[in-house]
Amino acid sequence: MNVSKSEITKETSLKPSGRSLPCLAQSYAYSKSLSQSTSLFQSTESESQAPTSVTLISADKTEPVNAEEDKEDSVLKCSFADLSDFCLALGKDKDYTDDSEHANYDRSRLIKDSVPKDNSESKAKLSKNDMNYIASSGLLFKDGKKRIDYILVYRKSNIQYDKRNTFEKNLRAEGLMLEKEPAVANPDIMFIKIHIPWDTLCKYAERLNIRMPFRKKCYYTDRRNKSMGSVQNYFRRIKKWMSQNPMVLDKSAFPNLQESDCYTGPFSRARIHHFIINNKDTFFSNATRSRIVYHMLQHTKYENGISKVGICKLINNGSYIAAFPPHEGAYKSSQPIKTHGPQNNRHLLYERWARWGMWYKHQPLDLIRLYFGEKIGLYFAWLGWYTGMLIPAALVGLCVFFYGIFTMNGSQVSQEICKATEVFMCPLCDKNCSLQRLNESCIYAKVTYLFDNGGTVFFAIFMAIWATVFLEFWKRRRSTLTYTWDLIEWEEEEETLRPQFEAKYYKMERVNPISGKPEPHQPSSDKITRLLVSISGIFFMISLVITAVFAVVVYRLVVMEQFASFKWNFIKQHWQFATSAAAVCINFVIIMALNLAYEKIAYLLTNLEYPRTESEWENSFALKMFLFQFVNLNSSIFYIAFFLGRFVGHPGNYNKLFNRWRLEECHPSGCLIDLCLQMGVIMFLKQIWNNFMELGYPLIQNWWSRHKIKRGIQDASIPQWENDWNLQPMNIHGLMDEYLEMVLQFGFTTIFVAAFPLAPLLALLNNIIEIRLDAYKFVTQWRRPLPARATDIGIWYGILEGIGILAVITNAFVIAITSDYIPRFVYEYKYGPCASRFEYGENCLKGYVNNSLSFFDLSELGMGKSGYCRYRDYRGPPWSSKPYEFTLQYWHILAARLAFIIVFEHLVFGIKSFIAYLIPDVPKNLYDRIRREKYLVQEMMYEAELEHLQQQRRKSGHPVHHEWP
């Protein structure tokens, strides 16, 4: 004889999450028989009764739960009706009903504490207030009852009447309700308001397998181990402190997102009485209603023919000029939110998220997801996570910078440069440059030390590890969000083909292996040919970038002679700095100009490939834009880091470009200051430009749209949908521009961070502003985008991983080649005063500056001067047997540089791989929770089958046993 699992299985404890809390406040007091329940389709109003008590099911008797009893066990009792109902909604036969009374089983392991109080009255009051506001804000049809779920816009002067008429008739045939209304400000504009009735909503929710809140969660637990008491008290104190953290949002101001606390299952009209429906008007969220309507708009024909389907094609051919879901009302209110509460979710998002005064607060991700959809919610979750992870990186970078400030005056190298009054450097240009004392570079030497000190190597290793930790913990954060937002079992539906793809390949068809229907097909030979042409275009644009960088290099060579003889004494003394600063500004202008051209060319190349679906088009376009802009932004930085001053030759035998212009040398204090200047200026100016284009440009456009409205029309008389029409549509590329901006910033923050440790700080400050800019833009300046679903950030995660790998390599080369870390290291341990005495300290670098400068005979220059000048290199003096040849020290330094690159890369890659191995993609408690829920579903199905068998025994007159027959 087999015994029920619930009687013998002893489960381990699991810490409950917010998603695992029981939904008693939203559940019904169901009848004992499923056959006695009333279908919502047969009633005119949705009525619900709050449960007045929770029933304790035991093997012997049924009694109400006393909240004061058995507090030590901490177990909640769940009725077997909840379990059997849940099984039915997960796929049992729709004709299967339970005609008998529920059997009584021992459920002593079920949780019985922390039963929330019933708040159905407050829920009903909140829903009533919401509906009253919707009516007052004009978001209903003229009858004041039907909610507006979507808006179509067209011009009366447009001649595509037949297509619109057929399309609208088919929409009505599908079950949608349409109502037309002309615009107040422009009589040529006509709005079509769309409402989806309850029956149609349920039909398509079932067809699309939309998961809806089904049953309260009942999770199992054991008594806590006594050894966990102190740990539990510690975490309780931390949680209490976190509740007082000013960065934490006041959860009482936000709606109770009940679906996150419940089991969810695919919606079924046959089992509608199993779902938690307090109000038919609010059961499906606005985002879900908009998604269903959009699905219907995309699959409705407007002409006879296979490809004559969808609102997107109608917008492309001009039949309609816009289609969008309406905002839930105004985002501002004359009444304070603290005393009167939010008018709608848009108002709440503005007050608690988009306002600048909320810059230090956490983001209400659940509400963002509810209003804008999971795809946009994941973007803001990723942006918030990235910003939070920048805090430790910015602090460490700031510490490295301040370490350079505090130890700058004690630096042996800086002291020797500042005291070298009798050391003359060779002229850095041919015509207008004169000998320069080495001590004139004192300030540059000190500034260079700020970025090139003992903490540089540590910070480079730290940032490489930081990038890995950031990505690994983001995967954990993403898995938590997908669980909380019920996306674990969500699969993206088969995408429709792009109209351009259908029009191009409509003569070539093959059967879709998923849908089983014939569809246009692109031959492999044609696809490869177009891909090769696209790749050739990419390489051509990259070569154009290199050409632009070369042009800037030529500009530097030409103007440095002019700045060296400039009339202004300041520029004449600091001509190298002036040359670099002017080149950076010109380079930035070229970068921004080429970005505009790149976007158009990337658009053409992507369309040339004829991607099959929109997601393929977006991924291809995003990859091209990233490659273009990444090369465009970083090519000049790569030149300064690895090529500037490397191939100039030596005095008397300088290398010249086109035998005319002498190649540019580094400053006597090194090339790192030029690299820092290039990164700082480009990063700062680009952030300012991006912020202006994201907020300033839409503000100006929206102001102009409002200005064109007739003066006699007051804003109060304009309905909500017309106000939305006057807003700017979301970028045609969706979130691509937002991700691209942040990914490029991530590259700036990690790739050359060894040369510019303040980059994480600048990125942090920018992102704090960026979050509120994007929030303000989405809530106030853009039309409401379609609430799309997604489980990850798409192709951008792979790009971030690639940047993390490239960052390790580039930082190794920056430390080894651009900075003076390796030459100082070789001198300290091989040629310095401590090389033989094994006494280490600051004096070990004594004489390093003199050792790093080579001699040149001034008489060879033909300037009429005698004596020697110095230049940065490791070459033999004029009096040696091999003058101006590389010394043995040069080859030692070169070998040390190569060895450092190899050791650094292997060490950091090993640490990155080890950390990635240690950090699981899914948190252990979440992994256990997901497995627990699967186990509970299996147990519920087991016991539901047992109940079904017992019903059959009762009908046949056989005795009932609490075990398998």
Side-chain angles (χ1 to χ4, degrees), residues 492-684:
E492 190 170 359
E493 63 178 301
E494 179 69 9
E495 288 190 81
T496 57
L497 301 179
R498 299 183 70 241
Q500 297 85 344
F501 183 86
E502 288 181 312
K504 180 69 175 178
Y505 301 104
Y506 70 95
K507 294 183 179 179
M508 294 168 281
E509 291 185 345
R510 74 170 184 179
V511 177
N512 188 310
I514 298 176
S515 64
K517 298 179 181 179
E519 67 177 21
H521 170 66
Q522 183 181 17
S524 300
S525 58
D526 182 76
K527 186 175 183 178
I528 293 174
T529 302
R530 293 181 179 277
L531 190 60
L532 290 176
V533 173
S534 179
I535 293 175
S536 301
I538 293 174
F539 279 108
F540 171 76
M541 293 307 301
I542 292 177
S543 64
L544 184 61
V545 173
I546 297 174
T547 303
V549 173
F550 181 76
V552 175
V553 171
V554 173
Y555 164 80
R556 295 173 66 112
L557 300 181
V558 172
V559 301
M560 68 178 185
E561 293 278 358
Q562 306 301 322
F563 282 144
S565 59
F566 210 74
K567 294 181 180 180
W568 293 354
N569 191 39
F570 176 81
I571 295 180
K572 186 176 182 179
Q573 290 181 352
H574 305 279
W575 62 270
Q576 281 187 303
F577 176 80
T579 301
S580 299
V584 169
C585 295
I586 293 176
N587 188 40
F588 176 76
V589 174
I590 294 176
I591 286 172
M592 302 312 297
L594 289 178
N595 280 346
L596 298 177
Y598 291 160
E599 184 173 353
K600 298 182 182 300
I601 294 174
Y603 191 86
L604 292 175
L605 291 177
T606 306
N607 286 335
L608 180 66
E609 297 174 7
Y610 282 99
R612 178 176 172 271
T613 62
E614 285 296 331
S615 62
E616 292 179 5
W617 190 96
E618 289 178 1
N619 289 339
S620 178
F621 181 75
L623 184 60
K624 290 181 180 62
M625 285 297 296
F626 169 75
L627 289 175
F628 288 161
Q629 294 207 18
F630 180 81
V631 175
N632 192 24
L633 280 174
N634 294 282
S635 55
S636 59
I637 298 177
F638 270 90
Y639 164 75
I640 293 176
F642 305 125
F643 296 99
L644 179 62
R646 307 297 169 193
F647 311 102
V648 296
H650 61 85
N653 188 24
Y654 283 113
N655 298 323
K656 293 186 178 182
L657 183 65
F658 305 132
N659 293 323
R660 180 177 181 181
W661 295 299
R662 172 180 160 184
L663 296 181
E664 187 179 2
E665 291 186 67
C666 292
H667 198 273
S669 58
C671 294
L672 200 63
I673 188 64
D674 294 308
L675 182 58
C676 295
L677 179 65
Q678 183 84 7
M679 288 188 61
V681 171
I682 290 180
M683 190 173 184
F684 179 74

Side-chain angles (χ1 to χ4, degrees), residues 459-477:
F459 189 56
I461 296 175
F462 172 83
M463 286 303 296
I465 297 173
W466 172 88
T468 301
V469 172
F470 160 65
L471 293 176
E472 291 299 321
F473 275 96
W474 162 246
K475 288 193 288 187
R476 293 167 61 88
R477 175 63 172 159

Side-chain angles (χ1 to χ4, degrees), residues 639-830:
Y639 164 75
I640 293 176
F642 305 125
F643 296 99
L644 179 62
R646 307 297 169 193
F647 311 102
V648 296
H650 61 85
N653 188 24
Y654 283 113
N655 298 323
K656 293 186 178 182
L657 183 65
F658 305 132
N659 293 323
R660 180 177 181 181
W661 295 299
R662 172 180 160 184
L663 296 181
E664 187 179 2
E665 291 186 67
C666 292
H667 198 273
S669 58
C671 294
L672 200 63
I673 188 64
D674 294 308
L675 182 58
C676 295
L677 179 65
Q678 183 84 7
M679 288 188 61
V681 171
I682 290 180
M683 190 173 184
F684 179 74
L685 293 179
K686 191 173 187 303
Q687 288 177 351
I688 292 179
W689 175 258
N690 288 338
N691 291 336
F692 169 76
M693 293 301 295
E694 286 189 11
L695 183 62
Y697 187 64
L699 278 173
I700 295 173
Q701 286 183 314
N702 290 334
W703 172 83
W704 181 248
S705 298
R706 292 191 300 268
H707 181 72
K708 291 190 297 184
I709 298 176
K710 295 179 180 180
R711 295 183 178 181
I713 300 175
Q714 301 295 327
D715 289 345
S717 64
I718 298 178
Q720 179 62 47
W721 57 83
E722 191 165 347
N723 286 326
D724 291 349
W725 160 248
N726 291 326
L727 297 177
Q728 295 302 308
M730 185 178 177
N731 194 306
I732 189 174
H733 305 135
L735 294 171
M736 195 276 296
D737 289 341
E738 314 297 332
Y739 277 116
L740 179 61
E741 178 187 353
M742 290 295 103
V743 169
L744 290 174
Q745 184 204 85
F746 179 79
F748 258 87
T749 306
T750 55
I751 292 179
F752 290 100
V753 73
F756 191 55
L758 294 180
L761 179 62
L762 292 180
L764 174 63
L765 297 177
N766 175 79
N767 286 6
I768 292 175
I769 299 174
E770 181 73 21
I771 290 176
R772 305 304 158 181
L773 273 179
D774 287 346
Y776 185 82
K777 178 175 58 180
F778 272 92
V779 174
T780 68
Q781 301 302 310
W782 278 359
R783 297 173 195 162
R784 187 178 185 179
L786 178 70
R789 307 199 83 185
T791 57
D792 53 35
I793 61 176
I795 194 175
W796 300 107
Y797 183 84
I799 294 176
L800 290 172
E801 284 191 324
I803 291 176
I805 295 174
L806 181 62
V808 177
I809 300 173
T810 53
N811 281 302
F813 275 88
V814 167
I815 295 173
I817 296 177
T818 311
S819 74
D820 288 338
Y821 177 80
I822 297 300
R824 291 198 302 264
F825 182 84
V826 172
Y827 177 81
E828 184 175 0
Y829 290 95
K830 180 65 177 177

